[in-house]
Amino acid sequence: MEVVAPGFPEFVANPRRNAGFSPGNISSRSCRWIHSTRFVRSSVVSSIGARDPEASYETITAEVVESKSVGLLMLNRPQVLNALSEVCMREVVAALKGFDALPEVGAIVISGKGKAFAAGVDIKELKNKTMVDLFVNPVLDQWNQVSRIRKPLIAAVNGYALGGGCELAMMCDIILVGEKAVFGQPEIKIGTIPGMGGTQRLIREVGKSRAMEMILTGERFMDAKEACQRGLASRLIEGTNEELVAEAVAMAKNISGMSRPAVIMAKAAVNAAYESHLEEGVKREQAFFGATFGLEDRSEGMAAFIEKRKPNFQNK
Ligand code: CO8
C-alpha cells in the first residue's frame, strides 16, 4: 500500500523516531527548539527555517495559547492595513514552521490586527521589483510555503483581505469571517495579476464567473455574507474582532484535541482534491484512510465510542 504521499508527516511515516517527544522533563522553551531543529534538519528543505514561534517579530505577533495547544499568529502592521512586506513574509513562514514543529500545537490561527486582515502585498516594495527580481528571488514560492504547513490553519478574516491578503486567507484550511470582511483581487488595477495562487484557488472557491469578475475588474469585492454563501468562508461570526479570533482559537483548540496524525492525514487527503484530479485524489484518500488503521489513536477512538467514553488520544 502506498501511503507516503508528498508532505506525508515524518512522524506518521516513522512513529518510533518520535517516541521521544516528551516535553515532561525539560522546559517547554528548550523543548520547542529541539523539535524545531529536528524538524528543519529532517523534513523541510527551504530557505526559511522554523523559528521559535514566540520569538519577537517586527511585523507579526506569534504566541502559543490554550495550554500551548494553539498557535496564534497576528499580522501586525495596522498602519498600512497589514500590507505583506518581505520581512512579514519571512516572519509569517518562520513562525508557522515553528508552530508546525511544536508537538503541543495542534492547529494554528492567523488573523490581522486593526481594521484589515491584509490589504495585499506591500505595493511600495513591489513597485521597484523587476521581472528578473521575481525570477531570481524565490519570493513567490516563499509565500507558497504557507500552503505546505501540515497542521490545520484557520484564517479569522475581518476587514480587507485583498490581493495577497485574500490569497493568504485562501492558503488556510478554514476561513471564519467577521461582519466587515471584504475579499478582493484588485491586482489588475495596478497593472498586474494575482501571484500567490489567487487565480487557481479563487475559481475553486467561488466558481469561474465570479472569480473572473473579481480578477478581471479588480472590483466587485465579496462581503462576508457572500463569502459564506459561496463557500469561500465557512462561517460568519458576529461581534468584535476579538470575538472572531476567540471563536477561531476555540475551533483550533477543538481540532487540537483530536489525534494529531489523523488530523494531518485528513488535511492532506482533502488537499489532494485541490492538487490533483478526482481519481488521483481518491487514491490518496484511500491511502491515508488505510494509514489511520496503523494508529493506536484509531483503535482508541473506536473503542471509546463503543464504550461511551471520551477518547484518550496519544498522537500515535
Ligand atoms: N501596500 C502598501 N501599503 C498599503 C497597501 C498595500 N497593499 N494597502 C494599504 N496601504 C497603506 C496605504 O498606502 C496607507 O498608507 P499611508 O497612510 O502611509 O498613505 C494606509 O495603508 C491606509 O490605506 P488607505 O489610506 O488607502 O485606506 P483606505 O481605507 O482609504 O483604503 C484600501 C483601503 C481600499 C484597502 C486601499 O488601501 C487599497 O486599495 N489598498 C491596496 C489594495 C491592493 O491593490 N492590493 C493588492 C496589492 S498587490 C498584491 O497583493 C499582489 C500579490 C501577489 C504578488 C506576490 C509577490 C510577492
Side-chain angles (χ1 to χ4, degrees), residues 25 35 60 66 68 72 132 159 215 219 246 281 285 292 295 313:
N25 52 0
H35 295 302
I60 64 169
E66 297 294 335
K68 301 198 181 297
L72 175 60
V132 174
I215 291 167
E219 295 170 348
E285 183 195 73
T292 66
L295 297 176
F313 291 131

Side-chain angles (χ1 to χ4, degrees), residues 19 22 39 160 202 226 234 244 258 267 276 302 308-309:
S22 167
F39 183 82
Y160 291 113
L202 194 59
E226 187 186 351
S234 61
L244 168 68
M258 308 297 167
K267 169 170 169 165
S276 50
M302 292 189 178
K308 298 190 187 300
R309 61 176 173 80

Side-chain angles (χ1 to χ4, degrees), residues 79-81 83 115 119-124 126 134 139-140 143 160 162-165 167 186-187 190 192-196 221:
Q79 68 286 6
V80 286
L81 305 181
K115 62 175 190 174
V121 168
D122 193 320
I123 300 171
K124 289 162 198 158
L126 268 188
L134 290 174
V139 64
L140 295 171
W143 272 116
Y160 291 113
L162 301 181
E167 294 172 295
E187 290 91 339
I190 53 169
T192 183
I193 68 169
M196 287 164 51
F221 292 165

